[in-house]
Structure formats: structure tokens, C-alpha cells
Amino acid sequence: MPDLPKDLIAASSFPMILAVLAKGESYGYEIIKAIKEQSNGQLEFAEGTLYPILKKMEAHQWIASKWYKAENGRERKYYKLTSLGKKQLQTEKENWQSVNQILQNLWQLNFNYQ
Amino acid sequence: MPDLPKDLIAASSFPMILAVLAKGESYGYEIIKAIKEQSNGQLEFAEGTLYPILKKMEAHQWIASKWYKAENGRERKYYKLTSLGKKQLQTEKENWQSVNQILQNLWQLNFNYQ
DNA sequence: CAAATATACATAGAACTACTATGTATATTC
DNA sequence: GAATATACATAGTAGTTCTATGTATATTTG
């Protein structure tokens, strides 16, 4: 299967990451893994892609971070959704659903014309 | 309803325009109107947005254009899907459906946790 | 035990893209 | 005749993305 186009990955990155964090707080590396698993390997965010997004979300106050120490002593930066972030997740979802509905309707028309 | 984010509009522009042309050949201004109607006004491509996209699609040979003269004597540039374009429409659709499915699965998980 | 890999976070800047701003032009409406 | 709609077009600015590269430590492998 061909790689997904960059613009589509970019457009879905925010809703996707917010959705992962809605399941529970998580840290960068684990978020990457969760998305890879959820997409059966179709999507794999590089760290250099993910951390700027997390930084931006934090700047928007959609998420908040906190350092924790893992069992092996490693430091991990955990992110969790804020109430603002939950609202934004809802907004991202509605936006996506809107565009998706428009596309599905158009494709339905295409199908009917075939 | 708030405006849709630019990145989502950008990511969906190609599949959307290809889908409009799958219904039948059309010209620029009419494509803009078709999308506006199909989206109940949520989406409104500016000409400065549309024509570079059409140009790019033509460069990819997904569409072909031809000048026709309208009833009032005005020249119109009609675009139609090529067989390559039909394949690309299918690819765009599959890509979108892939990402959409990933998001819907994640949102389903979110819903179950609420 | 050393090398390789995995884990974990981070940022600069080059490359790329989008779309606004602006343009030309003619038909129609007010 | 002015305003608006219709019709097509492009340059270049602004913004964005993500690659490349970095630091660092734990674990696995040979």
C-alpha cells in the first residue's frame, strides 16, 4: 500500500494525537507507538514531527505536561488533555466529520453515476 | 459554525475537486459553486486557490482541459477526468478512507471511555 | 564487554506549499 | 454608468512541515 500523502497526515495529526491522549495521559514515544498500532503500521510519526506538535498543543493549552520518573529511573514527559483540550478534540472531530460528510456525499454521487 | 481549518481544506481539496469532476466535466467557476452547494456553504474555494490546483492536476495528467464557447459568447475552460484521473480519484478516496477509519476507531475508543 | 538498537526528548532551518492579493476581461444586473 | 457576477490567471509572501541532526540513557545482542 502506498504511503499516505503528507498533507493528509498533517491534517489528521492534531485530531489523532488528541484522540490518543483522550484515552489517557501518555508520553511521546508511547503516543508514536499507539498511533502506529492503531493504524496497523500505516502511520508512523517521527519524533521530530511529534514533539513540535505537542509543543504547539501545550502552547494552546490543550494539553499539559509533567515529568515523571519511570521504573528504570528514566525521565518521561507525560501529557494529558486539559478541559480546553477536550473541547478542541471535539472541534477537531466536528471539523473532520464535516469534511468527511461532504466527501462521502460526493463519492456517493460518483457511485450512483457509475 | 466556525470556519474549517486551512489544513483540512487543503488536504481534502484534491479528492473533492476530483470527485466533482467525476460527476461530469465542468469549468472553474462552476466547480467552485458545486463545492459550495455540496457543502452548504461551509467550503468556498477562491479562484486563486482553485486554478493552481487545476493546473497541477493537469500537469499530473489527471484532468484535461478544453476551451468551449458558452451561449453568451464567453470562453470557458472545461476540465474532464482522464483515466489516470479516475485512478487518482480512487487513490485519494482510499487514502482518505484509511485515515478516516483510524480516526473513527480512535474516537470510538474515546466514546467508550466516557 | 562493546556494539547495536531501542527508548526518550528536542530544535533549527531548508524545503515546500498554500493562498492572498492582485490582475485582466466581459456579461449581467441595478 | 456603476456595481456585481462571471471567468481565468499568477506572483510572491507568509506560513508550515518535517528532515536532519542532536543529546542522552537503557536494553539487547553478539
Side-chain angles (χ1 to χ4, degrees):
Chain A
M1 185 175 289
D3 289 333
L4 293 166
K6 285 171 184 270
D7 63 336
L8 191 46
I9 296 179
S12 59
S13 60
F14 273 66
M16 200 165 290
I17 292 164
L18 288 171
V20 166
L21 289 175
K23 284 160 53 187
E25 67 184 290
S26 188
Y27 58 99
Y29 199 80
E30 192 179 61
I31 293 169
I32 288 172
K33 285 201 291 178
I35 289 176
K36 185 174 183 182
E37 285 160 13
Q38 196 65 46
S39 66
N40 294 316
Q42 277 196 277
L43 283 168
E44 182 158 10
F45 283 86
E47 283 121 321
T49 302
L50 178 74
Y51 286 102
I53 291 173
L54 291 175
K55 196 156 189 151
K56 195 175 293 180
M57 286 181 172
E58 202 161 11
H60 280 92
Q61 296 187 354
W62 298 338
I63 63 177
S65 66
K66 194 171 185 181
W67 286 95
Y68 284 102
K69 186 163 278 185
E71 285 157 15
N72 60 5
R74 291 296 295 279
E75 293 280 303
R76 281 179 182 154
K77 202 175 194 183
Y78 276 84
Y79 299 88
K80 94 190 270 182
L81 277 192
T82 61
S83 55
L84 253 188
K86 286 166 185 163
K87 285 185 189 125
Q88 185 57 32
L89 171 60
Q90 192 57 33
T91 298
E92 299 276 346
K93 187 177 177 182
E94 285 162 10
N95 287 340
W96 180 274
Q97 306 281 37
S98 291
V99 174
N100 185 57
Q101 193 57 57
I102 296 163
L103 282 168
Q104 301 297 345
N105 289 346
L106 279 167
W107 289 328
Q108 189 60 38
L109 289 174
N110 291 166
F111 182 83
N112 290 339
Y113 283 144
Q114 271 162 10
Chain B
M1 187 174 288
D3 290 334
L4 293 165
K6 285 170 182 268
D7 63 336
L8 190 45
I9 296 179
S12 59
S13 61
F14 273 67
M16 198 163 293
I17 292 162
L18 289 172
V20 165
L21 290 176
K23 284 160 50 186
E25 67 184 289
S26 188
Y27 58 99
Y29 200 80
E30 193 179 60
I31 293 169
I32 288 174
K33 283 203 291 180
I35 290 176
K36 186 174 183 181
E37 285 161 13
Q38 196 64 46
S39 65
N40 295 318
Q42 276 197 277
L43 283 169
E44 182 157 12
F45 283 88
E47 284 121 319
T49 302
L50 179 73
Y51 287 104
I53 291 174
L54 291 175
K55 195 157 192 154
K56 194 174 294 179
M57 286 181 170
E58 202 162 11
H60 279 92
Q61 296 186 355
W62 299 338
I63 64 178
S65 66
K66 197 171 181 180
W67 286 95
Y68 284 103
K69 188 162 277 184
E71 285 157 17
N72 59 5
R74 291 295 297 276
E75 294 278 305
R76 281 180 183 152
K77 203 175 193 182
Y78 275 85
Y79 299 87
K80 94 189 271 184
L81 277 192
T82 61
S83 54
L84 253 187
K86 286 164 185 163
K87 285 185 188 125
Q88 185 56 32
L89 171 60
Q90 193 57 33
T91 299
E92 298 278 346
K93 187 178 177 181
E94 284 162 9
N95 288 339
W96 182 274
Q97 307 280 41
S98 291
V99 174
N100 185 57
Q101 194 57 55
I102 295 164
L103 282 168
Q104 301 297 347
N105 289 347
L106 279 166
W107 289 330
Q108 190 60 39
L109 288 173
N110 292 165
F111 181 83
N112 291 341
Y113 283 144
Q114 270 166 10

